[in-house]
Amino acid sequence: MKDKETNKIKKPWPTKEAMIQVYEQNLWGDNATAFYSGEGSHLEKIVAPYIAAITTFLNSFKSPISLCDLGCGDFNVGRQLVSHTQQYVAVDIVPDLIAHNKERFIVANLAFRCLDIVADDLPAGDCAILRQVLQHLSNAEILTICKKLHQFKYVIVTEHVPEGTFTPNLNIISGQGTRMKKKSGLNLLVSPFNLKVKQERELLSIPLDARKGEIRTTLYTMF
């Protein structure tokens, strides 16, 4: 599609611009920090149980596996998982954020890459984690990502969802918000995504006190 004023082909996904704005304007809080990925990456009651659950999974293998962190953010969470992997590739769409992380976190088995996980090929790995990433994306973007997830043996998805029964997968415009405003949350196994997996297992569910809903982490074993 072309913009009539500029005659340039519009980019199909607005995600990069939206995420750059989030960090430039500190829309997820903490104005004292150059790059801050929000409470979901820093609150102890959310982060500590997640680290414990993912570490247990990673340590269940005889030999360390390789992991792709698709949407690594400020890497406050990922930094605590690197030592449990054979290779850790941390991906984010914001160039300045990736440059910042490269300067702060230097480990032999760690690599940072600036990629758009919708438009670009994903790095190779045994397992992919998407921690509160898909909840910010439109259904069209998620559908595109789902088609790429079968290259991994395992996929671990963490999402903020309403408690109890809810209507899944209501569409949104990509940005800092989520489907929670529509009292909806993601379920990748139902329409329109219909992700095909060998097995689904809930690793963790963290109820939120002041806000409705829960942070749910699910492990998918892929075909």
Side-chain angles (χ1 to χ4, degrees):
M1 187 172 87
K2 292 188 177 182
D3 187 315
K4 292 182 180 180
E5 294 183 0
T6 63
N7 202 36
K8 292 181 179 179
I9 297 174
K10 288 185 177 181
K11 295 179 180 179
W13 314 118
T15 311
K16 185 172 185 177
E17 288 74 15
M19 291 301 106
I20 288 174
Q21 184 181 57
V22 163
Y23 287 105
E24 285 182 345
Q25 299 183 17
N26 291 306
L27 297 181
W28 286 337
D30 196 350
N31 291 329
T33 303
F35 293 93
Y36 182 76
S37 293
E39 292 183 349
S41 295
H42 289 269
L43 281 184
E44 189 69 11
K45 68 177 182 180
I46 295 174
V47 173
Y50 178 84
I51 295 297
I54 304 303
T55 297
T56 297
F57 167 74
L58 293 173
N59 291 341
S60 68
F61 297 91
K62 290 183 179 180
S63 300
I65 64 172
S66 57
L67 188 145
C68 292
D69 186 344
L70 305 178
C72 66
D74 62 19
F75 210 57
N76 184 58
V77 173
R79 67 181 177 83
Q80 302 177 66
L81 299 173
V82 176
S83 63
H84 302 282
T85 67
Q86 186 270 328
Q87 177 71 25
Y88 197 113
V89 181
V91 172
D92 207 280
I93 198 171
V94 180
D96 287 348
L97 174 61
I98 287 295
H100 177 76
N101 286 345
K102 284 182 177 179
E103 293 180 357
R104 290 194 64 202
F105 307 102
I106 303 173
V107 185
N109 66 326
L110 171 63
F112 288 100
R113 296 185 63 182
C114 186
L115 296 173
D116 180 338
I117 64 173
V118 178
D120 299 326
D121 292 336
L122 302 182
D126 298 309
C127 177
I129 60 173
L130 297 106
R131 190 182 55 81
Q132 293 180 256
V133 171
L134 300 180
Q135 64 190 35
H136 295 293
L137 303 183
S138 68
N139 284 358
E141 289 173 296
I142 296 170
L143 271 167
T144 302
I145 293 168
C146 282
K147 295 175 183 178
K148 305 177 186 184
L149 295 181
H150 288 285
Q151 74 181 62
F152 302 100
K153 296 178 182 177
Y154 307 97
V155 175
I156 301 174
V157 177
T158 301
E159 287 288 310
H160 184 188
V161 299
E163 288 182 326
T165 303
F166 58 88
T167 300
N169 306 333
L170 294 182
N171 198 21
I172 61 170
I173 298 173
S174 299
Q176 69 170 12
T178 73
R179 288 163 181 78
M180 289 294 292
K181 292 180 179 179
K182 296 185 175 184
K183 297 181 180 179
S184 179
L186 285 183
N187 182 343
L188 295 181
L189 303 189
V190 303
S191 181
F193 310 120
N194 299 309
L195 184 69
K196 303 301 181 185
V197 302
K198 287 183 181 178
Q199 186 179 29
E200 173 193 26
R201 178 161 65 94
E202 184 176 297
L203 293 182
L204 182 66
S205 180
I206 303 172
L208 302 178
D209 298 331
R211 293 169 292 174
K212 295 180 180 179
E214 59 189 58
I215 306 292
R216 185 181 301 166
T217 297
T218 306
L219 166 66
Y220 300 107
T221 302
M222 309 302 290
F223 281 106

